[in-house]
Amino acid sequence: MVRDFQRVIGDESRRQFLEVEKELPDHIYACVGGGSNAMGMFYPFLEDNSELIGVEAAGKGIDTPEHAATLSKGTPGVIHGSMTYLMQDENGQITEPYSISAGLDYPGIGPEHAHLYQTKKVRYEAITDKEALNALKLLTQTEGIIPAIESAHALAQAFKEAEKMSNEETILINLSGRGDKDMATLMDHFKEEV
């Protein structure tokens, strides 16, 4: 149900991209916590040739216990009645995820994402807090747009990969929320720079 509500953004993005560029994007990026915003963006493009990239929260690093990178480091299990990938211990007990972004701080992933991960229909990456905040700062300074910290994860991965792309390749990034709700976190993080 939430995917279908979020799909309004994916459908509209697809329509506008075709209208402006006359073709579909080569790469589409969206942040992934539980995954509803990303599913809404990806769903209209699943049968197309656009590369879909979901970006998880690597927190302080996926090699530390402080992350929420479910597909990068999680294991199969059951949560809310669905078999999917989870942050869990060897006894199947949910472990505490971590992300500077409250919206990505979730111990599981929606079952559709688990399927897309297993079938390799979507590529999943993980971005650290630091990388996300640097991307947020860059977008804010260059475009005057303050994205949600969640969305900054997708931005960071897109920025990183864009450096290796040709000038002809096109990118669509899902800015799934505004940064208003994150102002206290951002002020605390950037207080040294003010």
Side-chain angles (χ1 to χ4, degrees), residues 40-85:
M41 177 56 80
F42 294 161
Y43 212 70
F45 297 93
L46 283 175
E47 300 306 317
D48 298 318
N49 291 325
S50 300
E51 180 187 27
L52 307 174
I53 303 100
V55 186
E56 299 185 293
K60 295 185 179 174
I62 59 172
D63 294 327
T64 76
E66 295 184 81
H67 64 80
T70 308
L71 291 171
S72 299
K73 293 298 227 180
T75 55
V78 176
I79 188 171
H80 308 308
S82 296
M83 181 77 156
T84 188
Y85 286 82

Side-chain angles (χ1 to χ4, degrees), residues 1 7 34 40 68 71 113 137 145 152 166 169 183 187:
M1 181 172 76
R7 183 181 173 167
L71 291 171
H113 280 290
K137 184 177 173 183
I145 298 169
S166 73
E169 290 178 82
M183 290 313 286
M187 288 172 60

